[in-house]
Amino acid sequence: MGTASSLVSPAGAVGEVIEDTYGGGGEACEIPVEVKPKARLLRGSLRRVGGSRPGGLIGASFKSTASVQELECVAEYERLRKEYEIFRVSKNNEVASMVKKEAKLDRENKRLRAELQALQKTYQKILREKESALEAKYQAMERAATFEHDRDKVKRQFKIFRETKENEIQDLLRAKRELEAKLQRLQAQGIQVFDPEESDSDDNCTDVTATGVQSEYWNGGVLGSEPSMGSMMQLQQSFRGPEFAHSSIDVEGPFANINRDDWDAAVASLLQVTPLFSHSLWSNTVRCYIISTDETQPEVNIFVRSYSPKLQRVCETMGYFFQVINFSTENERPLQDVRKWEIEKSSLVILLLHLTLPSCLLEDCEEAFLRNPEEKPRLIYHRREDGRVSSVAVQQLIEQISYVNKAKMIDHVGGVEDGAYEIYNCVEKIIKQDILGCEMTDLEGKDLGNKEESTAPEEEVFGDVLWDAHDEQEQMEAFQQASNSTCELGFEKYFERLNDLVAAPAPIPPLLVSGGPGSGKSLLLSKWIQLQQKHSPNTLILYHFVGRPLSTSSESALIIKRLTLKLMQHSWLVSPLTLDPAKLLEEFPRWLEKLSARHQGSIIIIIDSIDQIQQAEKHMKWLIDPLPVNVRVIVSVNVETCPQAWRLWPTLHLDPLNSKDVKSLISAECNSANVKLTKEQEKKLERHCRSATTCNALYVTLLGKTIACVGNTGNIDEILQQCCQCQDTVSLYRLVLRSIQESLQSDKEKGLLREILCVIGVSHNGVSESELTELYPELTSAVLASLLHSLHKMCLLTYSCGLLKFQHLQAWEMVKLEYMEADENVISAYRQKLVEYFTMQLSQDRVTWRSADELPWLFQQQGDKQKLHQCLLNLFVSQNLYKRGHFAELLSYWQLVGKDKSSMAAEYFDSLKEYEKSSEGEESMICLADLYETLGRFLKDLGLLSQAVAPLQRSLEIRETALDPDHPRVAQSLHQLAGVYVQWKKFGNAEQLYKQALEISENAYGAEHPRVARELDALATLYQKQNKYEQAEQLRKKSFKIRQKAARQKGSLCGFALLRQRALQLEELTLGKDTPDNARTLNELGVLYYLQNNLDSKQILLRVSKAELGTSACTDVTSFKILMNNYVV
C-alpha cells in the first residue's frame, strides 16, 4: 500500500504539525485543516494521475485507496438515499393523512355550521314567541288590573247602593215606630182608631200595624233590594234604660226605650263637644300675673330671679311656656284695658300684701279675685309682722276674697327670702295639679320620674301611635278664632246649601267653598260646624284649618295623620299606625270606611284653605275617590289659587257683602267701643265698600275696628279719609300698623315693634312671649303687654299653642312689604338671630319642642346643609321630632342633606355610640336607653327591620342593668322589640317577648291598667296574624273591658287632664249656671254613666241636675218628671 504522504497537500499549504507521541521512527507531518469529501478527493487524484501519465494508468498504491473510499461513499450514499426515501414516504403519508383529516374537519365544520344556523333560527323563533308571550302577559295583567278596578268600583257602588237602601229602610222603620208611638198615645187618650176593613168610608182611615210585627209592605220588595240580615237585626233592637231629658215620649214604668239612634246621638255629642272657652284654659303658656306693692317688691324680685327659671324648666319638660307678668312701678303700669286683658289671659294671679294696699291696685285686685267667673287659681301672700297690724283696706280685701272666691292663702311671718320660697312651693304645686292637671298615682309618679317619661300618657291611650297634643290644640284654637264674629253676615243662604249637601243622596263629590281673600270662608265653615253640632249631635265632624304656608298646619302628612287619629279615637280602636306618608294616604280611606260602617249618623270632613297645602292635588288625591255613603267632604279654597282640576266640583262661591251686611258689621264694631257714626259718615263708608276688594268680611271688620279704635280719641272724618284711600286689605293693614306706630311714645318702642313683627314673620310657627323677652332683654313686661294688646286688638297677631302668630295671611304679607321687601338681607338677619337663640338653647341642653320645630326648619330655609346635618345628629332634636309624629318632616330634612335610609341609620347609631362613651350615672343611662329605643322605633318605621333590632336590644340591656329586670320600662323595650319581630314574621320570638312584657306590666301596674290592655291588644293582633282567632278574641274582650273602665275613670278617651278637671266647668261656662239646658246635659251624662254601670258618677250627676233644674225659673214640667224618674232609678 502507498504511504500517507500522498494524501498530504502540496508544499506551501498551511496546516497543523502533529508530532509522534509514541516515540522514535516517526516523522512529523502536517495535516490540512480542511479535508474535502472522499469522493471529491478521489476524483481529483485520478485526474492528476491521468494527466501526469499518458494513457491514464494508475499506480498500484493509489488504486487501492480510491476503491475503498468509493465503496464507503457509495454505501453512505445508499444509506442516505434509503433514509431519504423512508423520510419522504413517511412525510407523504403524513401529508395524505393530514389532507384526509382536513377534508373530514371541513365536512364536520359544514355540518356544525348548518346546525348552528338551524339553532339560530330556532332561537329567533323562541325569542319571538317569548316576546309575544310577555306581551300577552302584560295585556292580561292590564286586563286583570282593569277588572280589579272595575270590580272594586262596582263593590263600592253596590255598597253605597246597599247602604242607601238600608238608610231608607231605617228611616221608614223609624217613621213606623213614630207612627206606632203616636197611635199608642192616641189610644191611651181614648181616641178610637178605625180599621179600614170595618169602616164604610175611605176618609180618615189609619192603617195600624202591631208593634214588633213587620208590615206586609216590606215583603213585596218595593225598594228593589232586600236589607242585609245584620242591618235588620240592628234596626229592630231596642235598649232599655233611663230616659234622656230632651225626650218627649211618655213611657210606662221607671224606664224608657232608648233606641240606637238616641244612644249614638248622645255619645257623638259627648265625644265632639267643642265649647268656646276662654284662652287661658287651653293656652300653652302658664301665665303668672303678679300684683305687688312696694313693700312686697323684694319677694317679687327674688321669686323672678331665683325661682322663675326653675318653674320655666318644669313647664318646658311638659311642653308649656312659663311667663311672669309684673308691673313693678306706677310709671311702668300700662292702661287699664291692657291690665284687664293680661288678667283674663293669666293662668294664675298672685297678690303679695304686707301692711298697706295702694288705691291704684284695688281695681286689679277686684278684677282678678272678685270677678273670676272661670274660677282660675288665685294665690294671696300676706307677710305679717309681730306688733304691727295691716291696714283696713288689706283686711277688707282679704275678707271679700275669702267670702267670694276660693283663693289660697299664705300667711308668712319671717324673712323675705323665706317668703319667696314659700311662694315658689305653692306656685309649683298649683301649676302641676290645678293648671297642668298632673294627677298621678304613687306608682306612676315613681315610674314617670324622669323627664323623658312626660310623654307617656298619650302612649297609654294610643299604643304605639305618636300623638302631638300641640297639633290638636292648634286646631281647637283656630276653630275658636274663626268662630269669633259679632254678626252672621247673612250666611243663612250658604247654610242651606251646606245642609243640602249633607242631605243629598250619595255618591257626591266634595263641595268647593270658594271666595276671595278675607271673604269669610273660615267664618262660614266654623259657624256651620257649630250649627251642626247643635242640631245634629249624631253627626261626626272632622275639621282642619290650614294656617300660613310652610307652617306645620299646612303639612299634608300631619293633616292626614291627625284626621286618621281622630277616626281611631271615635271608633274606639287602638292599633298601630304607620308614619310613612305614602302608606298614610292609603290607610286613611280604609279607616274612614271602618268608622262609616259603625257610625249611625253622617261623617263630615271639612278642610279650610286646602289650597295652602303644598302639592295639594298630589297629597289629597283621596278626595276624588268614591267615599262611603254617609261621608261628605267640604273644602274651602281661594278663588285665585284653586287647582284647575278642582274647579269642576260643585262650588259654593261666597259673594261680596251687600250694603246691609257692611253697615251691620261696622255698626257692631263701633257699638262695642261706644262710637256713633253720623249718617253722612255711614253713606261715605257705604260708597267706599262697593268693590270686590273692599266689601269682603275681613276688610270691613278691620275697617270697623280702625274706626272704633280712634273714634273716642281722634277725628273720625280724618281716619275715614285715610281708610278710603286703602283699596285692599293689605293696604288697610299698613294703615293700621302706622297708626299703632304713631301711638307709641319713643323710637325705642317703634324699633321693638318692628323687631317683634319681623321675628314672628321669619319663624316657622311663631314666637312665644318668653322667647321674645329672652331675645330682647330690653323689652319690659309693660311695653310687651301694650304692644301685644294693640296688635291683637287690631287683628294683626293672635295666640296659637302659646305662640304669637299673624291672625290673617294679609297681615303677614303687609309685614313683608313694610319691613322686608326693601332689603333682601333683612330676612336672613332675623333668621340668623333665631338660629343663634335656639342654638344657644341646644348648647345649654334645653332641647324643647320649640327648638326641634324651629332650628332644622331655619337651617333648611337658609340652605345650610352642613349645619342642618349637625342639627339632625343632635339625638334629642331628632327624638323630639319623631316622638311628636313629625316623621315626614324629619325624612325631608335628611333628604335635603342627601342621605338615604341606610346611611342615616348608620350615622345615628355612630352618634349614639359616641354619646354612650360619655354617659355616666343612672339618669344618663336611662336617657341613653330612651334614645336607643327611639332610634329602633324610627328604623322600624323606615322598614329597616334588621337594623332596628340592635338599638332596641341595646335599650333593653341598659334598662335591665340600670333599673331592674321587672321595671315597667323593661316591658316597654320588650314591647317595641316584639313589634319588630312581628313585622319580620318571626311570630315565635314576638309572642315570647309580648308575654314577658305582659307579665311585667301586670306585676307593676295591676291587671286593669291601660298598659296591660296595650300588651293584650298586641298579643291579640299577633294571634290574629297566626289565625288563632279564639285566643285573639278572648284577649280583645279583656283589653276592651280594661280600656272601657279606664275611659270611665279618666272621663275622656284622649286623657287630657285639663278637660277631665274642667269638663263640668266648661259646660257651665257655655250654657250658664242653674239653667234647664245645663240640667238636661247633666241628666244625659248621668244616663250614660248608668248605661256604663258607673252608678256612683251617675248618682252624683243626677243629684246636681235635680238641684239645678229645681232652682231654675223656667223649669219644664215634663223634663222635671223625667229627671225625677231617672233619679229614683
Side-chain angles (χ1 to χ4, degrees):
M1 296 180 67
T3 62
S5 60
S6 60
L7 299 175
V8 180
S9 60
V14 181
E16 183 179 0
V17 179
I18 305 298
E19 293 183 355
D20 186 11
T21 59
Y22 297 98
E27 292 181 359
C29 64
E30 186 177 359
I31 298 175
V33 176
E34 182 179 359
V35 181
K36 296 182 180 180
K38 293 181 179 181
R40 184 178 180 183
L41 180 61
L42 182 60
R43 289 192 298 270
S45 299
L46 290 176
R47 283 193 298 270
R48 286 194 300 270
V49 173
S52 62
R53 293 181 181 181
L57 297 177
I58 302 173
S61 60
F62 184 80
K63 181 179 180 181
S64 60
T65 304
S67 301
V68 172
Q69 291 179 350
E70 183 178 1
L71 290 174
E72 290 177 358
C73 289
V74 171
E76 183 69 18
Y77 172 76
E78 290 295 332
R79 186 183 61 80
L80 291 174
R81 187 179 61 79
K82 290 180 181 179
E83 289 179 358
Y84 170 74
E85 288 295 332
I86 293 171
F87 176 77
R88 184 178 62 80
V89 171
S90 64
K91 292 301 178 182
N92 289 336
N93 293 336
E94 288 180 4
V95 170
S97 176
M98 293 294 292
V99 170
K100 291 180 182 179
K101 289 182 179 179
E102 182 181 2
K104 183 178 179 180
L105 290 175
D106 191 24
R107 290 192 299 271
E108 186 70 18
N109 187 23
K110 291 180 179 180
R111 186 183 62 81
L112 292 176
R113 284 181 179 276
E115 291 181 359
L116 178 61
Q117 291 177 358
L119 289 175
Q120 287 178 347
K121 293 179 181 180
T122 306
Y123 168 74
Q124 294 294 334
K125 182 180 178 181
I126 293 175
L127 185 61
R128 288 192 297 269
E129 292 177 354
K130 177 184 176 182
E131 291 176 353
S132 302
L134 286 175
E135 185 177 358
K137 176 184 176 182
Y138 293 147
Q139 292 177 357
M141 291 176 63
E142 290 178 359
R143 289 194 299 269
T146 305
F147 174 76
E148 184 102 6
H149 177 73
D150 294 341
R151 186 190 64 181
D152 294 341
K153 183 176 180 181
V154 171
K155 286 175 64 177
R156 289 192 296 267
Q157 291 176 350
F158 174 74
K159 181 182 177 182
I160 293 172
F161 175 78
R162 185 191 64 191
E163 293 178 352
T164 303
K165 296 305 178 183
E166 288 184 355
N167 289 338
E168 292 177 0
I169 295 172
Q170 183 178 357
D171 294 337
L172 291 173
L173 288 177
R174 188 181 298 110
K176 174 175 172 285
R177 289 196 302 268
E178 292 176 358
L179 291 175
E180 290 175 352
K182 291 180 180 179
L183 177 62
Q184 291 178 1
R185 288 198 296 271
L186 291 175
Q187 291 177 348
Q189 295 175 5
I191 301 176
Q192 184 177 1
V193 180
F194 296 96
D195 192 337
E197 296 182 356
E198 299 178 357
S199 176
D200 296 334
S201 175
D202 292 337
D203 299 333
N204 300 327
C205 293
T206 305
D207 187 8
V208 182
T209 305
T211 305
V213 181
Q214 192 173 1
S215 173
E216 294 180 357
Y217 175 79
W218 299 101
N219 297 329
V222 179
L223 295 179
S225 65
E226 296 182 359
S228 63
M229 183 62 67
S231 63
M232 290 300 299
M233 293 175 62
Q234 188 178 14
L235 289 174
Q236 292 179 0
Q237 287 178 354
S238 61
F239 300 88
R240 305 288 297 180
E243 190 176 358
F244 284 101
H246 58 72
S247 176
S248 60
I249 302 176
D250 297 329
V251 295
E252 297 179 359
F255 296 101
N257 289 326
I258 302 177
N259 56 33
R260 180 75 181 203
D261 298 329
D262 294 334
W263 168 260
D264 289 335
V267 171
S269 64
L270 290 176
L271 281 176
Q272 64 170 17
V273 170
T274 311
L276 295 181
F277 41 84
S278 67
H279 178 270
S280 62
L281 292 179
W282 267 105
S283 174
N284 211 49
T285 303
V286 178
R287 307 179 64 86
C288 184
Y289 188 88
I290 299 179
I291 305 174
S292 62
T293 63
D294 294 337
E295 299 170 336
T296 56
Q297 193 62 35
E299 284 97 329
V300 175
N301 296 334
I302 296 174
F303 176 81
V304 173
R305 181 179 63 255
S306 302
Y307 300 111
S308 178
K310 296 182 180 180
L311 294 174
Q312 184 177 2
R313 283 298 184 97
V314 171
C315 295
E316 283 181 353
T317 55
M318 303 185 70
Y320 286 79
F321 302 106
F322 180 75
Q323 181 74 12
V324 175
I325 299 97
N326 175 239
F327 307 128
S328 56
T329 62
E330 179 65 27
N331 296 330
E332 293 183 357
R333 289 172 58 82
L335 299 175
Q336 177 186 354
D337 293 341
V338 179
R339 301 198 307 273
K340 182 179 179 181
W341 185 61
E342 288 290 341
I343 292 173
E344 290 176 353
K345 291 191 303 177
S346 64
S347 310
L348 169 66
V349 178
I350 306 175
L351 175 61
L352 285 77
L353 298 173
H354 182 38
L355 298 177
T356 60
L357 178 64
S359 58
C360 60
L361 297 179
L362 279 176
E363 189 173 1
D364 291 350
C365 295
E366 292 177 356
E367 180 67 30
F369 289 88
L370 301 182
R371 293 188 289 271
N372 184 19
E374 300 172 5
E375 298 183 2
K376 291 185 289 187
R378 297 292 186 258
L379 175 64
I380 299 177
Y381 168 82
H382 188 198
R383 174 157 52 90
R384 301 178 182 271
E385 288 186 14
D386 295 336
R388 303 186 67 179
V389 181
S390 301
S391 64
V392 178
V394 173
Q395 296 178 3
Q396 289 180 351
L397 179 63
I398 293 177
E399 289 178 359
Q400 291 177 356
I401 293 174
S402 61
Y403 178 76
V404 175
N405 199 347
K406 297 179 180 179
K408 296 184 179 180
M409 290 287 300
I410 298 178
D411 287 328
H412 175 67
V413 178
V416 174
E417 294 183 356
D418 294 338
Y421 181 72
E422 285 191 28
I423 296 174
Y424 162 71
N425 287 332
C426 191
V427 169
E428 183 182 20
K429 185 177 180 181
I430 291 174
I431 290 175
K432 289 183 176 180
Q433 293 183 358
D434 298 338
I435 299 177
L436 302 183
C438 300
E439 296 179 339
M440 297 185 297
T441 61
D442 296 337
L443 178 60
E444 290 173 337
K446 294 177 182 179
D447 292 338
L448 307 180
N450 59 75
K451 64 180 180 180
E452 299 296 332
E453 285 292 328
S454 59
T455 58
E458 62 257 20
E459 291 187 4
E460 292 182 3
V461 178
F462 290 102
D464 292 331
V465 177
L466 300 173
W467 174 268
D468 189 3
H470 298 106
D471 296 340
E472 187 63 27
Q473 178 183 343
E474 181 182 8
Q475 289 304 311
M476 294 185 69
E477 292 180 346
F479 173 79
Q480 181 175 356
Q481 174 189 333
S483 305
N484 292 332
S485 177
T486 54
C487 59
E488 297 296 333
L489 301 178
F491 283 161
E492 290 80 7
K493 57 181 180 180
Y494 303 128
F495 291 157
E496 294 178 1
R497 177 70 184 277
L498 294 172
N499 293 333
D500 293 340
L501 171 74
V502 177
I508 184 172
L511 177 66
L512 201 66
V513 179
S514 68
S519 57
K521 300 182 291 293
S522 303
L523 177 62
L524 169 66
L525 294 177
S526 60
K527 292 291 185 181
W528 185 72
I529 290 173
Q530 292 178 351
L531 292 177
Q532 285 293 314
Q533 291 177 346
K534 180 179 180 180
H535 299 298
S536 301
N538 60 336
T539 300
L540 174 60
I541 301 177
L542 305 178
Y543 60 83
H544 187 90
F545 290 85
V546 181
R548 196 181 73 183
L550 300 179
S551 64
T552 302
S553 62
S554 64
E555 295 182 9
S556 58
L558 292 179
I559 295 174
I560 297 298
K561 182 176 76 73
R562 175 182 172 271
L563 295 178
T564 305
L565 289 176
K566 298 292 287 184
L567 293 175
M568 293 172 59
Q569 171 189 344
H570 286 85
S571 60
W572 292 72
L573 293 176
V574 179
S575 62
L577 179 66
T578 180
L579 294 179
D580 189 355
K583 294 182 180 179
L584 272 175
L585 281 176
E586 296 176 1
E587 291 186 1
F588 176 70
R590 299 173 188 170
W591 278 104
L592 190 60
E593 189 170 353
K594 286 181 182 179
L595 182 60
S596 65
R598 289 180 165 210
H599 192 69
Q600 296 298 319
S602 301
I603 300 177
I604 303 175
I605 300 176
I606 299 175
I607 303 179
D608 180 49
S609 301
I610 193 173
D611 54 321
Q612 300 296 334
I613 300 175
Q614 303 176 18
Q615 298 180 346
E617 291 182 86
K618 174 183 176 182
H619 299 296
M620 296 294 164
K621 59 183 179 181
W622 56 272
L623 292 172
I624 63 177
D625 295 334
L627 298 174
V629 64
N630 57 340
V631 176
R632 300 291 183 272
V633 177
I634 303 173
V635 296
S636 70
V637 295
N638 191 338
V639 68
E640 300 173 356
T641 59
C642 176
Q644 189 65 31
W646 294 358
R647 296 180 186 271
L648 301 177
W649 293 350
T651 303
L652 174 61
H653 185 74
L654 299 188
D655 299 325
L657 299 180
N658 54 38
S659 58
K660 180 180 178 182
D661 294 333
V662 170
K663 182 178 179 181
S664 63
L665 188 56
I666 294 178
S667 299
E669 294 292 343
C670 293
N671 292 336
S672 63
N674 296 323
V675 175
K676 298 295 183 180
L677 297 178
T678 63
K679 295 203 174 177
E680 185 173 346
Q681 292 171 345
E682 292 178 355
K683 290 181 180 180
K684 187 175 182 179
L685 288 174
E686 183 180 351
R687 288 193 301 269
H688 174 64
C689 298
R690 287 183 177 179
S691 64
T693 57
T694 59
C695 61
N696 61 70
L698 178 58
Y699 183 92
V700 176
T701 302
L702 188 59
L703 180 61
K705 288 182 178 294
T706 304
I707 298 173
C709 182
V710 300
N712 293 324
T713 58
N715 189 352
I716 297 180
D717 292 330
E718 182 180 354
I719 194 64
L720 277 179
Q721 185 66 26
Q722 296 176 0
C723 291
C724 291
Q725 297 176 1
C726 302
Q727 297 300 321
D728 56 12
T729 308
V730 175
S731 59
L732 186 58
Y733 262 125
R734 181 174 293 183
L735 175 63
V736 169
L737 179 61
R738 290 175 181 174
S739 64
I740 295 176
Q741 290 175 339
E742 292 175 358
S743 64
L744 300 178
Q745 299 178 357
S746 63
D747 294 337
K748 179 181 178 181
E749 293 181 357
K750 294 179 182 179
L752 289 173
L753 174 63
R754 171 178 176 151
E755 295 292 320
I756 291 173
L757 292 176
C758 290
V759 166
I760 295 174
V762 301
S763 64
H764 186 198
N765 293 312
V767 181
S768 68
E769 293 181 56
S770 58
E771 291 169 351
L772 286 176
T773 54
E774 292 179 5
L775 283 168
Y776 303 100
E778 68 275 13
L779 187 61
T780 62
S781 298
V783 174
L784 179 61
S786 300
L787 291 177
L788 295 183
H789 178 262
S790 301
L791 295 172
H792 184 271
K793 182 180 179 181
M794 299 308 297
C795 299
L796 272 90
L797 297 182
T798 186
Y799 287 93
S800 179
C801 292
L803 300 175
L804 289 165
K805 300 181 180 181
F806 290 106
Q807 189 164 346
H808 298 283
L809 190 61
Q810 292 84 348
W812 179 51
E813 294 175 354
M814 180 272 299
V815 171
K816 289 195 299 182
L817 292 174
E818 185 73 13
Y819 294 130
M820 305 179 189
E821 193 177 64
D823 189 359
E824 296 180 356
N825 297 325
V826 174
I827 298 178
S828 301
Y830 283 108
R831 282 179 178 165
Q832 184 62 30
K833 191 176 186 66
L834 287 177
V835 166
E836 293 174 357
Y837 170 73
F838 288 113
T839 304
M840 181 188 64
Q841 283 192 346
L842 293 186
S843 64
Q844 298 173 354
D845 294 334
R846 288 177 58 191
V847 182
T848 63
W849 68 277
R850 284 288 298 142
S851 55
D853 269 353
E854 292 289 335
L855 195 55
W857 184 85
L858 289 169
F859 285 140
Q860 182 189 34
Q861 297 302 311
Q862 289 181 339
D864 195 338
K865 297 183 180 180
Q866 183 178 359
K867 291 184 179 180
L868 176 60
H869 189 201
Q870 295 175 356
C871 180
L872 293 176
L873 287 179
N874 187 309
L875 301 172
F876 296 99
V877 171
S878 299
Q879 182 188 44
N880 193 294
L881 284 172
Y882 173 74
K883 280 196 169 184
R884 293 190 294 114
H886 292 224
F887 182 82
E889 183 180 355
L890 188 58
L891 282 184
S892 66
Y893 292 146
W894 277 107
Q895 291 174 359
L896 180 64
V897 173
K899 301 290 183 179
D900 58 359
K901 295 180 181 180
S902 300
S903 59
M904 173 177 57
E907 291 193 17
Y908 272 137
F909 202 77
D910 294 340
S911 299
L912 268 175
K913 287 293 184 183
E914 292 295 327
Y915 182 78
E916 185 174 359
K917 294 179 182 178
S918 61
S919 297
E920 297 179 358
E922 181 179 349
E923 185 177 353
S924 298
M925 296 305 293
I926 293 174
C927 182
L928 177 64
D930 293 337
L931 291 173
Y932 269 116
E933 179 187 325
T934 303
L935 176 60
R937 295 178 65 178
F938 180 59
L939 297 179
K940 181 184 72 172
D941 290 333
L942 286 174
L944 305 175
L945 301 180
S946 59
Q947 301 181 39
V949 174
L952 290 175
Q953 189 69 41
R954 182 59 182 152
S955 173
L956 176 62
E957 294 172 358
I958 294 174
R959 284 171 176 167
E960 287 179 340
T961 304
L963 297 174
D964 186 71
D966 295 330
H967 196 275
R969 300 300 293 168
V970 176
Q972 171 74 10
S973 295
L974 293 170
H975 179 90
Q976 297 298 337
L977 189 58
V980 176
Y981 284 128
V982 169
Q983 291 189 13
W984 215 349
K985 307 298 182 183
K986 296 184 178 182
F987 298 132
N989 297 341
E991 182 178 0
Q992 181 180 1
L993 294 175
Y994 276 140
K995 288 182 177 179
Q996 294 180 15
L998 176 62
E999 182 180 358
I1000 294 174
S1001 298
E1002 287 179 343
N1003 294 334
Y1005 295 109
E1008 296 184 349
H1009 195 272
R1011 295 287 181 108
V1012 177
R1014 177 188 181 188
E1015 305 302 334
L1016 292 173
D1017 281 331
L1019 267 176
T1021 304
L1022 177 62
Y1023 287 145
Q1024 188 173 357
K1025 290 180 180 291
Q1026 296 175 292
N1027 297 329
K1028 300 178 181 179
Y1029 297 111
E1030 294 183 0
Q1031 300 180 21
E1033 184 65 21
Q1034 293 177 359
L1035 295 177
R1036 291 282 189 197
K1037 291 180 178 178
K1038 187 175 180 181
S1039 172
F1040 181 75
K1041 290 180 180 179
I1042 295 174
R1043 292 188 183 279
Q1044 198 175 31
K1045 184 176 181 180
R1048 285 201 305 265
Q1049 293 175 352
K1050 290 185 177 182
S1052 171
L1053 179 63
C1054 293
F1056 294 127
L1058 188 58
L1059 282 181
R1060 294 203 303 268
Q1061 292 182 357
R1062 304 198 180 196
L1064 182 59
Q1065 181 181 353
L1066 291 176
E1067 291 164 5
E1068 292 176 352
L1069 289 174
T1070 307
L1071 302 175
K1073 294 184 177 181
D1074 300 335
T1075 61
D1077 290 335
N1078 193 21
R1080 294 189 191 96
T1081 302
L1082 292 172
N1083 174 65
E1084 293 179 0
L1085 283 170
V1087 171
L1088 292 176
Y1089 279 129
Y1090 173 85
L1091 295 174
Q1092 295 173 353
N1093 283 333
N1094 192 353
L1095 301 180
D1096 295 336
S1097 300
K1098 163 252 180 184
Q1099 195 70 13
I1100 295 173
L1101 289 171
L1102 291 181
R1103 187 183 301 117
V1104 177
S1105 176
K1106 170 179 173 292
E1108 291 190 3
L1109 195 59
T1111 57
S1112 177
C1114 53
T1115 302
D1116 185 16
V1117 178
T1118 304
S1119 299
F1120 189 75
K1121 288 171 60 179
I1122 294 171
L1123 173 61
M1124 293 304 297
N1125 169 52
N1126 296 338
Y1127 182 73
V1128 171
V1129 175

